[in-house]
Amino acid sequence: MGLRITTTLLSSALFLLSPSGYSLADTTHSKAPLQPAQASVKSQMKSQDLRALSAAIKALIDDASQPFSGSVILLEDGKAQLALQKGEGIDQNSSFVVASLSKQITATLVLRAVDAGKLDLTRSLNSYLFADETNDGAKQNAVEQHRYDERITLHHLLSHTSGVDALGKANRFAPGSQFQYSNHGYALLGQLLEKVNKQAFAEQVAQFAKDTQLNALYAQTGSIEHIRRNLTTLAVGFDEADTLIAANIDIDESLLPGGGLIASAPTFASFAHKLHSGELLSPKSYELMTRAHTKMDFFWPNMNYGYGLRLNSDDDLREYSHTGYLPGYMSMSLHYPEFNLDLVMLENISLNLNDMERVFDLHNQIRQAVRAHLLHKKS
């Protein structure tokens, strides 16, 4: 694989070809501005490097042994350098269920509420969800049976260290003592936002999308067939079995915060750029979001978790990432702050979970190609 990546990086001409089944836009600026000769040469070399990386990504998708259908976008400094679409009916306007990339949106909404003084990350979940309940005298025991562990804070939910179980059940472990990925924890964050903002979570996402000009970010519930009646850009998701079959999933209110939001690749990439450029959060909240709060096990080694983001610093290269999987949809986002580089990959085929390494193989290869490119620039 390393030889193939290296060879592809040297073959930027591949990027100029658009095989059948693709819609491919190369938006890299190849002409340098009219400046001194040295600056012009540097700009041209940078453009060639980005073309080579784009070619490498495209070649990996072309050569993949597993089926691929979806949209990929690569941004540098917020400008698209690669916009690739592959698959029947997929174009630049196609939207996808972004699966666990939804957690980045939800974490951002929680931290915006913190910035507005509505939430405190150190306060307990119960103090917000059950603030209007009486908890004294003879009613105390009855109320406690219908609460979550009193030690769970918003910080624990955001960082997957809460150990939360269903309402009324004992916690899985002492909050803060270990990492355990929890979609339920993010569903509770959605409930909490509804409590403090007195607005449905879906409405909050819609308002956030409007305020930040993320025009193709959606929070809709129902079956995929039902949602597509109102949102025709939503790509039908397919499960890989003996053949590809339309995924039968329903998105309800509890799925939205942790895995049910919908976006186009350009819109999610725009969200990532705005987030990491400081447009959406205070510096303090952004630092908390991108701080390593706990170690975690994942296919990629040496991973930590912040708030809605996986963190890695191998080879002295900072990386903020996430992946997602739902029946019919897969996703990946990568951000490299030192280079202000973002990659978003949204797919409408979910690969068979019988072989987990195969499921994430293309994600792994593309991540390695991006990292190889950036490490070469650092050397």
Side-chain angles (χ1 to χ4, degrees):
M1 182 181 67
L3 177 60
R4 182 172 64 185
I5 291 174
T6 302
T7 302
T8 308
L9 286 171
L10 297 175
S11 304
S12 61
L14 286 174
F15 182 62
L16 301 178
L17 302 177
S18 178
S20 177
Y22 278 94
S23 171
L24 184 60
D26 177 6
T27 53
T28 304
H29 300 288
S30 59
K31 294 183 178 180
L34 296 177
Q35 293 179 356
Q38 186 176 4
S40 178
V41 170
K42 184 176 180 180
S43 176
Q44 290 174 8
M45 291 176 63
K46 179 179 178 181
S47 177
Q48 290 171 1
D49 286 345
L50 287 167
R51 284 177 177 269
L53 175 59
S54 298
I57 293 168
K58 178 182 173 295
L60 288 170
I61 292 173
D62 280 345
D63 296 341
S65 59
Q66 62 266 55
F68 176 86
S69 176
S71 182
V72 181
I73 188 164
L74 179 72
L75 300 184
E76 185 186 61
D77 297 328
K79 297 179 181 178
Q81 308 298 331
L82 167 68
L84 179 155
Q85 299 89 36
K86 180 181 180 182
E88 184 177 353
I90 303 299
D91 60 31
Q92 62 182 0
N93 297 316
S94 295
S95 53
F96 305 78
V97 182
V98 302
S100 284
L101 301 196
S102 303
K103 292 179 174 68
Q104 294 178 48
I105 305 286
T106 300
T108 298
L109 292 177
V110 170
L111 290 170
R112 284 166 70 90
V114 170
D115 288 339
K118 296 181 178 181
L119 292 176
D120 182 338
L121 295 177
T122 64
R123 273 186 60 180
S124 72
L125 168 67
N126 287 338
S127 70
Y128 288 108
L129 286 188
F130 308 112
D132 51 355
E133 288 187 2
T134 302
N135 189 27
D136 57 4
K139 292 186 177 181
Q140 181 174 355
N141 290 335
V143 170
E144 287 180 351
Q145 292 177 5
H146 298 283
R147 286 179 176 245
Y148 298 100
D149 191 304
E150 288 292 340
R151 298 169 294 177
I152 296 174
T153 65
L154 279 59
H155 160 78
H156 294 136
L157 295 171
L158 286 165
S159 59
H160 297 289
T161 58
S162 69
V164 68
D165 206 328
L167 188 63
K169 289 189 176 182
N171 232 44
R172 299 176 186 274
F173 51 81
S177 65
Q178 66 186 76
F179 176 91
Q180 187 178 77
Y181 196 77
S182 176
N183 287 312
H184 179 46
Y186 269 72
L188 291 173
L189 289 170
Q191 292 181 31
L192 182 149
L193 284 168
E194 291 185 340
K195 272 278 188 178
V196 298
N197 288 326
K198 304 185 187 310
Q199 186 181 33
F201 180 78
E203 294 174 357
Q204 294 181 53
V205 172
Q207 187 63 53
F208 172 69
K210 180 179 179 181
D211 293 344
T212 55
Q213 298 182 317
L214 298 172
N215 298 326
L217 171 65
Y218 310 100
Q220 299 198 19
T221 57
S223 67
I224 296 300
E225 180 181 357
H226 169 77
I227 294 172
R228 290 190 77 244
R229 292 177 192 146
N230 299 320
L231 184 60
T232 58
T233 60
L234 176 60
V236 175
F238 292 92
D239 268 329
E240 184 191 36
D242 294 334
T243 60
L244 293 178
I245 57 175
N248 183 23
I249 61 169
D250 288 308
I251 299 175
D252 61 17
E253 288 83 357
S254 66
L255 180 59
L256 286 175
L261 298 183
I262 295 169
S264 68
T267 287
F268 197 90
S270 179
F271 160 75
H273 175 68
K274 290 174 184 287
L275 172 66
H276 298 299
S277 297
E279 296 182 33
L280 304 180
L281 297 174
S282 69
K284 180 180 179 180
S285 286
Y286 180 74
E287 191 278 329
L288 286 170
M289 189 175 190
T290 56
R291 180 191 300 178
H293 297 293
T294 179
K295 293 184 181 297
M296 63 171 292
D297 291 327
F298 190 61
F299 291 99
W300 304 340
N302 304 318
M303 300 300 289
N304 296 280
Y305 207 89
Y307 291 161
L309 289 170
R310 296 182 183 126
L311 315 174
N312 181 275
S313 57
D314 285 354
D315 303 311
D316 198 30
L317 179 65
R318 281 190 298 155
E319 173 189 270
Y320 307 147
S321 68
H322 219 289
T323 55
Y325 185 103
L326 274 179
Y329 301 93
M330 293 171 53
S331 56
M332 176 175 69
S333 69
L334 302 171
H335 174 74
Y336 299 90
E338 183 179 350
F339 299 92
N340 202 8
L341 191 78
D342 292 280
L343 182 137
V344 173
M345 182 173 177
L346 304 180
E347 304 164 67
N348 64 316
I349 295 177
S350 59
L351 300 179
N352 196 313
L353 291 174
N354 290 338
D355 187 345
M356 294 298 289
E357 289 189 8
R358 177 175 174 271
V359 168
F360 292 105
D361 183 54
L362 185 56
H363 289 181
N364 292 340
Q365 292 186 51
I366 289 176
R367 175 181 181 252
Q368 289 174 20
V370 174
R371 290 180 63 86
H373 167 79
L374 296 179
L375 289 170
H376 176 72
K377 291 184 69 173
K378 283 173 68 78
S379 64

